[in-house]
Amino acid sequence: MSVTTTRSAQRAPVVAGGPLLGSLADLLRDPLATYLRARRECGDVVRFRLGPPGLGREIHGVFSPEGVQRVLATEASGYRKDTPFYQEVREQIGNGLLTSQDADYLRQRRLVQPLFTRHRVNGYAEEVADEAAALAESWRTAPGGSVELVGEMRRFALQVVGRILFGTDTEEAVAVVERNLPPLQTLSLKRGLAPVKSPRTWPTPANRRAARYRAELFGLCDRIIESRRDGGTRAEGSGEDLATLLVRAETAEDGRFGQSELREQVLVFLLAGHETTATALAFALHLLARHPEERGRARDEVDRVLGGPGGRAPTAEDMEALPYLTMVVKEAMRLYPSAPIIGRRAGVGTEIDGVRIPAGADVLVSPWVTHRHPDHWADPERFDPERFTPEAEAARPRYAWFPFGGGPRACVGQHLSMLESVLALAVLLQAYDFDGAEGGDVPLGAAITLIAKGPARCRVTARLG
């Protein structure tokens, strides 16, 4: 990345915060609202001060689509994953595809990329539909016809990623991930934001908890890897799971994954492989339950393609025939991106939107904020799938919407996430009417991923075939 700073460039305005800790307390308490307020009050490039004067640090926020594109894509080589937060994540879940850099990342990406070709991903459609049908069947006995969407969709997505990654080893994986991954995320966020932190080797209660969470997650991954090396496979008649393919992955240039690398890739796929889909599905259903006109249009499209209640299961080939359902998923991802904050560190000084970014600065871009930028989204909090017609998408800047990141580090599994989200939503709309969301807005937080701090309940009524 070349230095582009000019004399006319200004320093970024500082976001108002407390006199002692700056924005630290605000970001720990409600990061999403704090980032939105920062753009609204200070503009598209801002500075957050964290911690007391002399001991704290600064983070630059970049919120315009053009600025995001420079950070993630056109100048991506100059923005590295060296931020304190990513260092914490790297310590917690290893140096896998999410956190690795430079030669390590390129090697891992080359080894993993063949596992996510469109043809191979489409081969998982039957399993997605099967798991969605099992979920729909389980809702027939839901107490009072009420379901909690966030928990249900997380378990569904973990079941799917369990089948795809691990074959039949799903029950243990779901339990281990649900028990350990959320608190590990929270601990990573707190340490990543802290201006001063205790050494990881100190036997503090938080460090002991983090070590326990890591040990259980790593143990799960190691057992899965060993079972694949011993010839364990999925149910008879199904294809190879991703864990088996990872164990066998090899190129003449890159060799094969070592044991620790395999563990770290499996853990990254566990995290990224379920969070994006779970968030998209939970909030797509939550939004449709609150918007009967859009719900009816989505249901009618599903009925035309699949035949209504009792009709056939969706396949990968049905994706093109479900454009409105795809638009619903994209709009849910706009309003509720599973990765609401993405961090980098500037390698050299540069300038974005007329504002100086100094070398070594921590920089964040935010789908949560940019997806609500009023210059690109009219009435941004309104649910409107029509924002994603081909014509509307073509008229917007490329990085006005980036739930999968972008540039050379864009999510390798984005086609799998879209396939899983659209097909599962089709199965559920085929089987049920979602006739009203219960309660108010879902309270949200953010760590590595978007966190629902409360339930998203709605009533489901079985449709008669």
Side-chain angles (χ1 to χ4, degrees):
M1 180 177 71
S2 61
V3 178
T4 57
T5 303
T6 66
R7 287 189 176 184
S8 62
Q10 304 296 312
R11 295 194 70 191
V14 175
V15 179
L20 181 61
L21 297 179
S23 294
L24 181 59
D26 292 334
L27 289 175
L28 287 172
R29 182 178 60 252
D30 193 345
L32 302 176
T34 301
Y35 294 133
L36 281 174
R37 176 175 62 84
R39 192 219 62 79
R40 184 174 63 249
E41 295 179 358
C42 299
D44 284 337
V45 183
V46 305
R47 273 186 295 157
F48 300 92
R49 287 180 174 159
L50 309 180
L55 292 176
R57 60 191 181 89
E58 293 184 342
I59 298 176
H60 284 67
V62 175
F63 302 130
S64 70
E66 296 77 14
V68 171
Q69 183 165 3
R70 290 181 61 182
V71 172
L72 295 185
T74 56
E75 298 178 4
S77 62
Y79 289 94
R80 300 172 52 77
K81 288 195 170 185
D82 289 335
T83 68
F85 179 65
Y86 270 118
Q87 290 169 3
E88 286 300 321
V89 175
R90 191 175 293 114
E91 289 289 336
Q92 302 292 13
I93 67 172
N95 196 40
L97 203 61
L98 177 66
T99 54
S100 61
Q101 300 189 105
D102 303 326
D104 285 343
Y105 174 77
L106 293 174
R107 174 176 176 271
Q108 293 174 16
R109 182 87 181 202
R110 287 193 296 266
L111 284 165
V112 165
Q113 190 74 51
L115 280 59
F116 289 93
T117 63
R118 186 170 294 267
H119 175 73
R120 187 178 291 280
V121 166
N122 286 348
Y124 298 126
E126 182 177 352
E127 290 156 286
V128 172
D130 285 348
E131 289 294 337
L135 175 66
E137 183 62 28
S138 74
W139 284 359
R140 296 187 183 281
T141 58
S146 177
V147 297
E148 199 287 296
L149 296 170
V150 173
E152 290 288 298
M153 293 304 104
R154 182 180 295 117
R155 283 184 287 276
F156 163 76
L158 278 169
Q159 285 289 132
V160 172
V161 79
R163 282 188 66 174
I164 291 172
L165 273 176
F166 317 131
T168 57
D169 303 327
T170 56
E171 290 187 12
E172 181 191 11
V174 169
V176 170
V177 171
E178 284 192 321
R179 186 165 58 246
N180 295 284
L181 201 52
L184 196 60
Q185 285 198 58
T186 301
L187 287 173
S188 297
L189 175 65
K190 289 180 178 179
R191 284 183 61 88
L193 288 175
V196 179
K197 64 194 81 173
S198 63
R200 192 176 302 281
T201 55
W202 287 9
T204 65
N207 284 344
R208 289 200 300 269
R209 288 196 302 273
R212 188 170 65 250
Y213 300 144
R214 285 196 306 274
E216 194 164 356
L217 287 165
F218 285 167
L220 168 69
C221 296
D222 287 344
R223 289 190 296 277
I224 291 162
I225 291 164
E226 286 310 307
S227 75
R228 294 309 173 265
R229 283 184 170 142
D230 293 340
T233 59
R234 302 201 306 193
E236 184 177 353
S238 60
E240 294 176 303
D241 57 70
L242 287 179
T244 300
L245 295 170
L246 275 173
V247 169
R248 297 177 182 173
E250 183 174 10
T251 68
E253 178 182 3
D254 301 306
R256 305 181 76 164
F257 283 123
Q259 174 64 24
S260 63
E261 288 181 307
L262 280 170
R263 170 203 291 161
E264 290 157 1
Q265 302 310 329
V266 168
L267 188 52
V268 166
F269 290 164
L270 265 175
L271 170 63
H274 86 277
E275 286 283 3
T276 299
T277 303
T279 301
L281 278 171
F283 287 104
L285 290 170
H286 180 70
L287 290 162
L288 289 174
R290 291 180 159 202
H291 296 84
E293 182 177 342
E294 289 79 5
R295 181 173 71 247
R297 183 172 172 184
R299 183 188 60 231
D300 291 346
E301 181 179 79
V302 169
D303 288 353
R304 285 195 303 273
V305 174
L306 304 180
R312 67 176 178 84
T315 68
E317 289 70 30
D318 292 319
M319 288 286 288
E320 291 187 5
L322 296 167
Y324 189 74
L325 208 56
T326 301
M327 288 169 13
V328 167
V329 170
K330 288 182 174 181
E331 176 70 341
M333 289 179 171
R334 180 186 73 84
L335 287 167
Y336 299 96
S338 66
I341 309 297
I342 300 170
R344 295 289 190 268
R345 175 164 284 179
V348 297
T350 187
E351 174 187 328
I352 294 178
D353 294 341
V355 177
R356 292 199 303 272
I357 305 291
D362 288 336
V363 178
L364 65 85
V365 298
S366 172
W368 182 267
V369 177
T370 306
H371 289 185
R372 288 166 166 78
H373 200 301
D375 288 353
H376 307 287
W377 305 97
D379 193 6
E381 295 293 343
R382 178 171 54 89
F383 174 60
D384 181 10
E386 288 291 322
R387 301 179 196 270
F388 290 92
T389 63
E391 297 78 14
E393 288 190 289
R396 280 192 301 270
R398 162 63 184 86
Y399 282 83
W401 184 81
F402 59 110
F404 298 106
R409 297 197 68 122
C411 175
V412 71
Q414 57 186 285
H415 177 59
L416 175 60
S417 180
M418 287 300 300
L419 176 87
E420 187 179 343
S421 298
V422 172
L423 297 192
L425 195 58
V427 169
L428 296 174
L429 287 171
Q430 188 181 35
Y432 289 96
D433 190 28
F434 296 80
D435 53 358
E438 301 174 355
D441 293 334
V442 180
L444 299 169
I448 303 173
T449 58
L450 191 68
I451 298 172
K453 294 183 175 181
R457 301 200 68 88
C458 78
R459 295 184 301 278
V460 294
T461 304
R463 300 177 64 199
L464 300 178

